[in-house]
Amino acid sequence: MGEPLLELRGETAGYRGKPVLRDLDLTVNAGDRVALLGRSGAGKSTLLGLIHERLRAQASLVPQAAALVRTLSVFHNVYMGRLDRRSTLHNLRTLIRPARADAEEVRATLRLVDMEAHFSAQAGALSGGQQQRVSVARALYDGRPVLIGDEPVSALDRRQGGAVLEQLSQRHETLILALHDVPLALERCDRIVAIDGGRIALDAPSRDLDVAALARFYEASA
């Protein structure tokens, strides 16, 4: 077990002043692969938002919506993962003519998610699944030790999703992912945190669980 990166004790999380989650007790250690599960609206995105706020300096983010600049190229959208680590002058020059080293690094990153062929394409012209892979590539290019992903493979089939999660696992020390695919979560993460009734209702090793044990967190509320 790695050192603790995050400790929440009895905390509340919400948005626009409205509580969504209460009495949050959660510890995330370096090296954890955590899957957040729960039905739609349970508060997974709210919890990820709180975690990202606390770990921002250490975390790369794959948001639920790809959040790409549709009028810019795939290259430029991935390059944005390191905007804060380049000078303003370098970033302005990159809008016009990317440096060869930057272009090659981005190409190599796109290759990891099978999107190198779309290097120069306009982001807005891509399919939903392709946009999601570009969003993942941006996080990979960012390269911080913690990866926070809000349904990062929801637009991909299970094979593609598993391949993308493998790339994230290889290149980020710690993963915290909201996932809707329970078998994929059990396969790719070592810890399951389930949200129900505005609270964390389960926090257990994946090896001790199966799909049937987690079904109640996806059944429609009465």
Side-chain angles (χ1 to χ4, degrees):
M1 182 181 296
E3 65 181 44
L5 294 176
L6 173 79
E7 292 185 340
L8 304 177
R9 293 292 176 263
E11 298 203 34
T12 297
Y15 61 95
R16 297 179 184 173
K18 179 182 179 181
V20 175
L21 301 171
R22 296 178 174 83
D23 302 323
L24 292 171
D25 287 326
L26 179 69
T27 298
V28 177
N29 299 302
D32 282 354
R33 270 82 170 109
V34 181
L36 302 183
L37 303 182
R39 62 180 63 87
S40 179
K44 300 186 297 296
S45 295
T46 300
L47 180 53
L48 285 181
L50 175 61
I51 293 171
H52 185 237
E53 179 183 312
R54 302 291 173 86
L55 297 178
R56 187 181 299 272
Q58 305 172 63
S60 304
L61 177 67
V62 183
Q64 190 171 54
L68 304 181
V69 180
R70 296 173 60 84
T71 56
L72 292 181
S73 70
V74 166
F75 162 79
H76 285 103
N77 274 278
V78 174
Y79 175 83
M80 286 178 185
R82 295 187 189 172
L83 274 180
D84 61 343
R85 280 167 274 176
R86 311 290 199 208
S87 70
T88 300
L89 180 58
H90 186 89
N91 289 335
L92 288 173
R93 286 175 175 167
T94 300
L95 277 172
I96 301 169
R97 185 172 182 176
R100 179 177 295 179
D102 292 336
E104 288 307 310
E105 284 187 336
V106 170
R107 283 187 185 279
T109 305
L110 287 167
R111 202 173 299 135
L112 299 175
V113 294
D114 197 25
M115 286 295 293
E116 183 184 7
H118 301 275
F119 177 89
S120 300
Q122 190 178 67
L126 302 177
S127 70
Q130 289 171 332
Q131 289 187 30
Q132 191 167 65
R133 280 185 278 168
V134 172
S135 184
V136 168
R138 181 175 56 199
L140 288 167
Y141 187 66
D142 184 12
R144 299 175 198 265
V146 180
L147 187 285
I148 297 173
D150 194 349
E151 302 288 0
V153 295
S154 60
L156 308 178
D157 62 34
R158 186 165 296 168
R159 180 190 63 80
Q160 293 172 327
V164 166
L165 292 183
E166 178 63 23
Q167 293 296 341
L168 292 174
S169 183
Q170 288 181 12
R171 287 163 177 79
H172 297 271
E173 181 183 17
T174 305
L175 302 182
I176 309 167
L177 310 171
L179 295 171
H180 73 282
D181 188 319
V182 177
L184 194 60
L186 290 168
E187 176 186 345
R188 295 291 173 173
C189 296
D190 55 30
R191 180 176 164 197
I192 303 295
V193 173
I195 300 174
D196 190 42
R199 290 173 169 80
I200 292 175
L202 176 82
D203 186 347
S206 301
R207 65 177 179 272
D208 297 337
L209 301 168
D210 57 23
V211 173
L214 296 169
R216 65 189 177 94
F217 298 112
Y218 288 87
E219 294 167 353
S221 300

